[in-house]
Amino acid sequence: MEFIIIPLAQKKIKQRGISAAWIEETISKPEQTVSGYAGRTVYQRRYKAADQKEKLLRVVCEAKEGKQIVITAYLTSEIHRYWRK
């Protein structure tokens, strides 16, 4: 799947220490896809962070002209809050 990361999202991803490989893997092979606000799609995948704790990577995207536009991405330890059964 083709995707583009907007400049603000690139800045935030870098600040948060999220690897480009994790972003790509989460979009191309999500463990879960959920609906976000304003028709956005949130791709979710669990990872072991640097502190060895399990974290959920959430990549928020908008579909535009057949591509996914990455609006933001972040890691959270509150997996239970966002994981859908």
Side-chain angles (χ1 to χ4, degrees):
M1 177 181 310
E2 192 173 349
F3 66 93
I4 298 169
I5 304 174
I6 64 170
L8 180 59
Q10 287 176 342
K11 180 181 175 184
K12 293 293 187 181
I13 289 166
K14 184 177 180 182
Q15 287 174 344
R16 294 170 179 158
I18 302 168
S19 76
W22 281 10
I23 299 293
E24 185 174 345
E25 183 178 36
T26 301
I27 293 171
S28 63
K29 299 176 198 167
E31 288 183 304
Q32 195 171 74
T33 304
V34 296
S35 296
Y37 295 108
R40 293 177 174 162
T41 302
V42 182
Y43 298 97
Q44 303 187 139
R45 190 171 182 85
R46 294 170 289 193
Y47 289 97
K48 291 275 187 190
D51 60 6
Q52 295 302 311
K53 293 184 180 177
E54 187 174 58
K55 304 274 181 145
L56 180 66
L57 176 57
R58 303 187 84 225
V59 181
V60 181
C61 297
E62 285 183 0
K64 186 175 182 180
E65 299 174 4
K67 298 176 186 171
Q68 291 295 315
I69 309 299
V70 178
I71 303 303
T72 193
Y74 59 93
L75 287 166
T76 179
S77 60
E78 296 186 37
I79 297 170
H80 64 280
R81 178 177 177 183
Y82 298 105
W83 198 258
R84 303 291 181 251
K85 297 188 183 213

